[in-house]
Amino acid sequence: MTARVTSIRDRQAETQREPATAPATAEVPLSELSGWGRYPVARGRERRSADLAAITDGAALSRGLGRSYGDASLPAVERDVLAGSVLADRLLHFDPATGILRAEAGLSLRALKQWSMPRGWFTPVTPGTQFVTLGGMVAADVHGKMHHVDGCFGEHVTRLLLRVADGRVVECSDTQEPELFRATLGGMGLTGHILEVEFRMRRIPSPWIWQETEVCPTFDALLDAVRAASTKWPLTVSWADFLDFGPRMGRGLLNKGRWAEPSEAPPRLPRFREPVPVPPVFPDWFLQPWMGRLFNRFVYAAMSARPPHGIVHPESFFYPLDIVRDWNRLYGRRGFTQYQCLLPTTDGYAAHHRLLDVLRRWRAPSFVVVIKDCGAEGKGMLSFPKPGISYAIDMPVSAQTQALVDALNEVVIAGGGRVYLAKDAFTRAEDFRRMEPRLEAWQRVRRQWDPHGTLRSAQSVRVFGDTP
C-alpha cells in the first residue's frame, strides 16, 4: 500500500520560506563561496528558492550544502549564477511496502534520517557526514562504510528528474535515458540540475549500531584487517596515524559494525545531537604536527584500553566529525584539502607503501586519515570507488600542496587507482585523464546533452578543460 505524500518540513519553516518565484527574478548579490575545505574561495551569485525548477533555468550549476571539499560547487566565473537547492527539501512520496522514497534534491540527509529512523528505515548508503543533500549525494555518487557490500548511493537510485542544459525537464533511470542516468551518478552536477531523487530506503532492525574495534599496530596489519573484515562485516572503517613518520606510521584502529538486533539495543531511540560549535576564526598555526602526534598517541592508547565491542550511537559511528560544527575552521584561513584516492590490491601493498613513502618524504602533516575497503565498481560513469582500498587524507593547504598532490597522483596512476572528485582541489587535467579511462565516454554523453558547455563549475574548468 502506498503512503500518502508526506512533508517533513514543520509549519514554522514553511512560513519562513521565501516566495517561490521571487528569487528567480531578483538580483542576487555577489558573495564569497567555498567548499568544505575553504580552499579555493570564489566570488559568485547563489540564488535560493523552494522552487528549484524555476531557479535552475539559466543557472550554470546547482549547489547544495557546500560539503564537497574543493571547487566542485564553485562558479567557473564570477558572472555565473548558481541554483542553491537547500530550500527545495520536501519529501514527496514514500511507499513503506517497497521502501521507495522520492524527495526534492535539497532535502538533507540529516533531516531525512530524523524522519526515517524512528520509522525503522535508513538510507542504503551514507557518506561520512549527514550535512549533505540528496542532490549532492547523487552528483558525487557517495559511498560509505558499507561500500564493499552495498556499493555507491547510485546503485539504489531508481529515478532522477533533471533540468538539462537546453531548459527541458527530463526523467531518467536505468530504462529511460539510461546513458544520461549513468552519467549523472557521480557526474558532479554537470549533466543537468538534479531536481528530484527517487531511491530505495532500507529496513533496519533497530536504530543502534553494534561495533567492534580492532587495534592494528602496523600499517600492513591495518590493511590486512580492513580486507579481512570486509568479508564478514557490513560496515567497516579505520582510522590511521599518518603523523608519526617513524615505524609506527600507518598503525591504526579498525571499527567493524552492523545494525544491532532489537534484543541487543537500548529500548529508547537514539537522541539526535546538536553539534558543538567552534569559534569562527582559528589562527593558521593552530594545528601543529606535534599537537596531532600527541593527540593520535592519546587516541590510540585510549582506544586500545577500551572494551573492544558494544552498542554505539549511530551518529558517532557514521559521522564522528559532525559532533563539532564547522570543524573545518580549525585549519585557519588557509583552508585544507582532503586527498582521497583509491589503490587496488591486486598487486599487493607495494603502491600503498609508496603512497606512505611520499607523505613521509614530504613530511606532509595529515591530521585525519580514514582507510576503507571498496567493492565492485558501480554503474555511475565517473563514480569513484572500485575494488581496492580508499585513503582519505586531510592536509592543510600550503605552498607545497600542489607539488605534493602531483607526487601522490603519480603513485595513484602507476598503481591503477583514481582520485575522488568530490574531495579534490588540486588534481591536474592531464593526471585525471591518465587515471580515468571512462572519461571520454562520459564526456560524449555530456556533450550530447550540453553541446554548448552551459553547465560548468570551477572544477570542470580545472579538470575537464571547460571554457571559463
Side-chain angles (χ1 to χ4, degrees), residues 358-420:
V358 169
L359 293 168
R360 185 183 287 120
R361 189 167 66 249
W362 283 73
R363 309 291 290 181
S366 308
F367 295 96
V368 177
V369 178
V370 175
I371 298 177
K372 291 184 289 195
D373 184 68
C374 289
E377 187 172 272
K379 60 188 175 188
M381 295 178 69
L382 279 189
S383 295
F384 164 66
K386 66 179 180 177
I389 291 179
S390 159
Y391 297 81
I393 306 169
D394 282 5
M395 299 181 294
V397 171
S398 70
Q400 72 169 10
T401 302
Q402 181 64 65
L404 173 59
V405 170
D406 291 344
L408 292 170
N409 278 343
E410 285 301 320
V411 174
V412 171
I413 293 166
R418 60 176 64 138
V419 298
Y420 189 21

Side-chain angles (χ1 to χ4, degrees), residues 67 145 190 270 310 314 466:
R67 282 299 183 116
K145 300 169 177 62
L190 298 169
D466 288 357

Side-chain angles (χ1 to χ4, degrees), residues 243-255:
L243 275 174
D244 192 323
F245 295 119
R248 289 180 295 194
M249 185 176 185
R251 66 178 182 171
L253 304 164
L254 170 64
N255 289 331

Side-chain angles (χ1 to χ4, degrees), residues 55-221:
I55 60 172
T56 51
D57 191 11
L61 188 72
S62 287
R63 176 181 165 95
L65 287 164
R67 282 299 183 116
S68 55
Y69 280 58
D71 50 3
S73 67
L74 302 186
V77 292
E78 188 175 290
R79 65 177 179 276
D80 282 352
V81 173
L82 308 186
S85 67
V86 294
L87 295 179
D89 62 350
R90 285 168 295 193
L91 195 161
L92 302 171
H93 181 269
F94 178 64
D95 183 349
T98 63
I100 296 291
L101 181 147
R102 181 162 54 89
E104 291 181 319
L107 178 62
S108 77
L109 176 58
R110 179 178 171 83
L112 175 58
K113 189 168 57 65
Q114 288 179 328
W115 175 85
S116 70
M117 289 187 74
R119 294 166 170 81
W121 297 89
F122 196 77
T123 52
V125 171
T126 177
T129 176
Q130 57 193 315
F131 297 108
V132 292
T133 63
L134 290 180
M137 290 172 67
V138 171
D141 202 9
V142 297
H143 59 283
K145 300 169 177 62
M146 60 289 288
H147 186 270
H148 56 288
V149 175
D150 295 310
C152 291
F153 183 63
E155 302 305 307
H156 308 272
V157 174
T158 52
R159 188 187 72 96
L160 296 172
L161 192 66
L162 303 178
R163 178 183 288 284
V164 294
D166 65 6
R168 287 178 293 160
V169 175
V170 176
E171 282 192 9
C172 61
S173 66
D174 277 326
T175 57
Q176 189 172 1
E177 304 294 355
E179 282 200 320
L180 176 63
F181 183 61
R182 292 176 54 235
T184 302
L185 304 175
M188 305 310 295
L190 298 169
T191 57
H193 299 279
I194 301 169
L195 304 179
E196 293 180 11
V197 179
E198 181 186 274
F199 66 100
R200 193 182 304 276
M201 295 282 282
R202 169 161 297 163
R203 275 280 191 194
I204 51 176
S206 85
W208 295 88
I209 297 291
W210 174 269
Q211 173 184 283
E212 290 189 16
T213 300
E214 184 175 344
V215 179
C216 305
T218 66
F219 183 50
D220 279 356

